[in-house]
């Protein structure tokens, strides 16, 4: 993980604790969800790819399991 990303997960978690989801971009919400299933990878690129593929956060969350 690059220096830019060092502490990224913790910063997002603290922001969530402090502000809730208000002000989060869809890819950041998806990153938070992905943190729990992909514990040791940068989830930002994955979140962006999923959003590009499905078109929206709700479409990602409603996608069939196989996709």
């Amino acid at each position: 993980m690059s220096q830019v990303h060092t502490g990224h997960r913790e910063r997002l978690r603290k922001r969530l604790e402090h502000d809730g989801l208000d002000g989060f971009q869809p890819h950041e919400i998806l990153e938070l969800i992905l943190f729990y299933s992909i514990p040791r990878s940068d989830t930002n690129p994955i979140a962006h790819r999923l959003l590009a593929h499905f078109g929206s956060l709700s479409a990602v969350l409603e996608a069939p399991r196989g996709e």
Side-chain angles (χ1 to χ4, degrees), residues 9-27:
R9 288 179 182 227
E10 189 58 31
R11 285 190 301 275
L12 279 181
R13 285 187 185 113
K14 285 183 187 242
R15 202 169 126 209
L16 177 64
E17 284 178 21
H18 187 263
D19 300 328
L21 289 176
D22 293 342
F24 273 77
Q25 296 296 312
H27 74 274

Side-chain angles (χ1 to χ4, degrees), residues 41-53:
S41 286
D42 180 3
T43 58
N44 183 280
I46 298 166
H48 282 283
R49 281 196 308 270
L50 286 168
L51 288 168
H53 179 77

Side-chain angles (χ1 to χ4, degrees), residues 25-46:
Q25 296 296 312
H27 74 274
E28 294 171 319
I29 295 169
L30 196 48
E31 277 188 86
L32 285 166
I33 294 167
L34 290 170
F35 287 169
Y36 296 100
S37 60
I38 307 171
R40 290 187 170 82
S41 286
D42 180 3
T43 58
N44 183 280
I46 298 166

Side-chain angles (χ1 to χ4, degrees), residues 1-8 11 42:
M1 194 176 291
S2 75
Q3 291 289 10
V4 172
H5 297 296
T6 301
H8 177 67
R11 285 190 301 275
D42 180 3

